[in-house]
């Protein structure tokens, strides 16, 4: 059994961060649609959250944003000519597409892929499957570029295995690590995969909003990664939770080591889920802390993103919960924090992420959790690990290249495309990732 750490790979917010209201079923996204955003503040808030954890001794790294607007998708949809001509045509003929191909949603890298630790896989390697995200067009176009970024950061070879996305059809709709949790005695020990889905054949469906993850997708990822069936638990989201705005499981539950923190209405059959987890974990004791709806309502959980917090193991063995500042503004949540001490959470930190939160993504949305043994950590692209020097360079990069206000009408500006490409080319050099963007290889 190898010693291992859990590293957080956070998505850098891209220069086209705007409030398009694109995520149906995401209440915050819909509530702020059409407002003017501040990409510079959004990126700096994300970096400050990363620095907060890095300063506390947590392994913290960054993942670059994807190129946006995605002109390749627009050309596939029949728009032609030079880049400026394409933008002008879309703005005139199909302005709704311009927001979608300019979405900065790749910042929420909890949806980038599902990751399985090498301690859990049959071949002893760390496995990645990019999410197809095919429920929403603006996210379904991400996976080719996401796969390129993941391969640059985690080079294929003796340590890392990269799979292709699942078939891009409704039956295999996959939203990535936002619907996957890992429970274990400690990070280096073999773990149990908790795969949460919204729909399967014959199961009750939500009445209002779509169930994005399918059981079939979760089972396929588990097979791809060579996980032992007896150490996988497949649990259905409660349909009422989805209708209340719980579009991913990480909005209503979070796991770390042997602690599962979840809302009373997280799962369709909670007793069955807990019994299955206890069987799968064997001699490792499951610590399950259920937050009752009488204490924190489903609406309060969604509005505050209490469960979209980062539950982390401190170097001293205690646990820390990093919450969004929005939790401070919710009386139900603040009253309940004392109860979380009894669950084994020793410390609470708060991060200002208002720009991301208004678009529907909290602390847990912004990070991809990757369990790494020492040799695996050494194989990661070295330029992505956050330290004081990289943090300073990234803040300077943001200040240099990002606008401090952006509206949907600005997305048709060819100058924004040029600014974005200049910024991303500089970033790829800064992180030492080579030509990870398609425009860099253009003639």
């Amino acid at each position: 059994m190898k010693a291992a750490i859990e590293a957080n790979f956070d998505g850098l917010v891209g220069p086209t961060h705007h409030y398009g209201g694109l995520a149906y079923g995401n209440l915050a996204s819909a509530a702020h649609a059409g407002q003017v955003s501040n990409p510079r503040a959004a990126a700096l808030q994300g970096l400050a959250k990363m620095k907060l954890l890095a300063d506390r001794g947590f392994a913290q790294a960054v993942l670059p944003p994807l190129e946006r607007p995605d002109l390749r998708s627009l050309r596939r949809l029949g728009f032609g000519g030079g880049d400026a001509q394409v933008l002008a045509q879309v703005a005139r003929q199909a302005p709704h597409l311009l927001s979608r191909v300019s979405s900065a949603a790749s910042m929420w890298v909890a949806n980038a892929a599902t990751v399985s630790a090498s301690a859990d896989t049959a071949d002893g390697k760390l496995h990645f499957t990019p999410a197809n995200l095919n429920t929403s067009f603006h996210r379904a176009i991400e996976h080719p570029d996401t796969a390129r970024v993941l391969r640059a950061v985690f080079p294929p070879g003796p340590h890392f295995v990269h799979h292709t996305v699942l078939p891009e059809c409704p039956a295999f709709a996959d939203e990535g690590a936002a619907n996957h949790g890992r429970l274990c005695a400690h990070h280096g020990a073999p773990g149990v995969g908790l795969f949460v889905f919204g729909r399967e054949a014959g199961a009750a469906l939500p009445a209002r909003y779509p169930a994005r993850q399918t059981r079939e997708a979760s089972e396929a990822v588990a097979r791809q990664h060579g996980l032992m069936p007896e150490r996988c638990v497949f649990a259905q989201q409660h349909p009422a939770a989805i209708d209340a705005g719980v579009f991913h499981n990480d909005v209503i539950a979070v796991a770390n080591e042997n602690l599962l923190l979840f809302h009373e209405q997280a799962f369709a059959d909670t007793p069955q889920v807990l019994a299955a987890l206890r069987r799968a974990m064997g001699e490792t004791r499951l610590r399950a802390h259920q937050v009752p709806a009488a204490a924190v309502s489903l609406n309060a959980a969604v509005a505050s993103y209490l469960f979209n917090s980062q539950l982390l193991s401190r170097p001293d063995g205690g646990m820390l919960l990093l919450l969004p500042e929005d939790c401070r503004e919710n009386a139900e949540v603040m009253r309940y924090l004392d109860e979380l001490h009894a669950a084994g959470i020793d410390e609470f930190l708060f991060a200002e992420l208002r720009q991301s939160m208004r678009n529907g993504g909290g602390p847990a949305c912004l990070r991809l959790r990757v369990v790494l043994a020492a040799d695996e950590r050494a194989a990661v692209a070295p330029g992505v690990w956050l330290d004081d020097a990289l943090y300073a360079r990234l803040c300077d990069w943001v200040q240099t290249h990002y606008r401090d206000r952006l509206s949907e009408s600005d997305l048709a500006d060819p100058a924004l495309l040029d600014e974005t490409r200049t910024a991303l080319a500089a970033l790829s050099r800064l992180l030492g990732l080579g030509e990870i963007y398609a425009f860099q290889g253009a003639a």
Side-chain angles (χ1 to χ4, degrees):
M1 187 181 301
K2 296 180 179 179
I5 53 98
E6 182 184 76
N8 294 295
F9 287 78
D10 277 44
L12 287 167
V13 179
T16 60
H17 161 67
H18 70 282
Y19 298 130
L22 304 177
Y24 185 61
N26 183 321
L27 303 187
S29 174
H32 296 95
Q35 294 185 7
V36 175
S37 67
N38 187 332
R40 183 183 300 164
L44 293 175
Q45 287 172 5
L47 281 167
K49 191 259 286 190
M50 299 182 220
K51 183 68 160 53
L52 180 65
L53 291 179
D55 286 347
R56 298 296 300 268
F58 294 100
Q60 178 68 59
V62 299
L63 291 174
L66 305 186
E67 180 189 349
R68 293 293 180 267
D70 182 5
L71 296 184
R72 290 172 303 172
S73 289
L74 292 178
R75 289 191 165 95
R76 288 178 62 195
L77 295 173
F79 299 98
D83 293 345
Q85 290 175 297
V86 169
L87 292 175
Q89 288 176 45
V90 178
R92 184 173 61 253
Q93 299 175 21
H96 62 286
L97 288 178
L98 191 54
S99 177
R100 285 163 172 77
V101 300
S102 301
S103 170
S106 66
M107 62 201 257
W108 297 311
V109 293
N111 303 122
T114 305
V115 186
S116 291
S118 57
D120 304 343
T121 62
D123 62 3
K125 295 183 180 183
L126 204 154
H127 287 243
F128 297 84
T129 296
N132 59 34
L133 296 167
N134 69 358
T135 302
S136 305
F137 169 69
H138 72 287
R139 302 224 62 182
I141 60 178
E142 290 180 9
H143 66 81
D145 296 323
T146 297
R148 184 185 300 113
V149 167
L150 291 175
R151 286 172 174 269
V153 175
F154 305 96
H159 302 292
F160 307 126
V161 178
H162 294 266
H163 300 275
T164 57
V165 296
L166 300 181
E168 298 171 65
C169 62
F172 292 98
D174 178 23
E175 300 276 319
N179 292 314
H180 174 251
R182 182 175 188 261
L183 291 149
C184 54
H186 58 83
H187 292 311
V192 169
L194 174 59
F195 292 86
V196 183
F197 60 91
R199 56 187 167 93
E200 68 172 329
L205 291 172
R208 184 178 185 187
Y209 295 127
R212 300 189 187 182
Q213 182 85 21
T214 68
R215 179 174 185 137
E216 292 82 359
S218 296
E219 291 175 339
V221 170
R223 286 192 296 270
Q224 277 190 338
H225 292 193
L227 304 181
M228 292 187 292
E230 64 271 22
R231 297 189 69 82
C232 295
V233 173
F234 300 93
Q236 185 185 1
Q237 280 185 280
H238 201 301
I242 296 174
D243 280 338
V246 181
F247 50 96
H248 292 138
N249 180 65
D250 66 3
V251 178
I252 204 67
V254 61
N256 181 58
E257 295 192 335
N258 69 334
L259 175 60
L260 176 64
L261 174 65
F262 65 101
H263 190 271
E264 179 181 350
Q265 292 173 275
F267 307 113
D269 188 345
T270 299
Q272 184 274 331
V273 171
L274 297 183
L277 286 172
R278 291 188 174 102
R279 287 194 300 271
M281 293 178 70
E283 296 180 0
T284 299
R285 181 175 71 92
L286 171 68
R287 292 190 292 151
H289 185 90
Q290 177 176 287
V291 178
V296 179
S297 67
L298 196 53
N299 289 340
V302 172
S304 67
Y305 270 34
L306 166 63
F307 296 91
N308 197 253
S309 300
Q310 290 178 249
L311 185 58
L312 306 166
S313 298
R314 298 188 312 197
D316 66 1
M319 284 199 192
L320 177 152
L321 191 68
L322 176 71
L323 307 103
E325 279 285 353
D326 300 62
C327 284
R328 291 190 196 269
E329 300 168 9
N330 192 293
E332 291 180 38
V333 169
M334 293 306 292
R335 283 195 298 267
Y336 196 77
L337 289 190
D338 284 341
E339 298 294 327
L340 294 184
H341 279 298
I345 299 174
D346 305 285
E347 182 182 2
F348 303 103
L349 288 179
F350 294 85
E352 174 54 77
L353 295 167
R354 209 163 299 272
Q355 283 288 317
S356 176
M357 289 283 290
R358 287 174 180 169
N359 233 355
C365 292
L366 286 162
R367 62 93 177 94
L368 185 67
R369 309 168 83 168
V370 184
V371 173
L372 296 165
D375 55 348
E376 295 162 345
R377 180 171 180 172
V380 172
V384 302
W385 293 107
L386 193 76
D387 56 18
D388 290 345
L390 180 58
Y391 174 73
R393 290 197 298 272
L394 288 172
C395 287
D396 287 343
W397 171 75
V398 170
Q399 295 284 5
T400 299
H401 295 288
Y402 279 51
R403 298 186 181 189
D404 62 5
R405 57 181 289 115
L406 196 69
S407 65
E408 285 191 70
S409 61
D410 295 324
L411 300 175
D413 183 2
L416 179 63
L417 174 63
D418 292 339
E419 293 167 19
T420 299
R421 287 178 169 177
T422 298
L424 297 182
L427 178 65
S428 63
R429 293 191 298 270
L430 194 159
L431 299 178
L433 295 179
E435 294 188 351
I436 57 171
Y437 296 108
F439 68 86
Q440 290 174 293

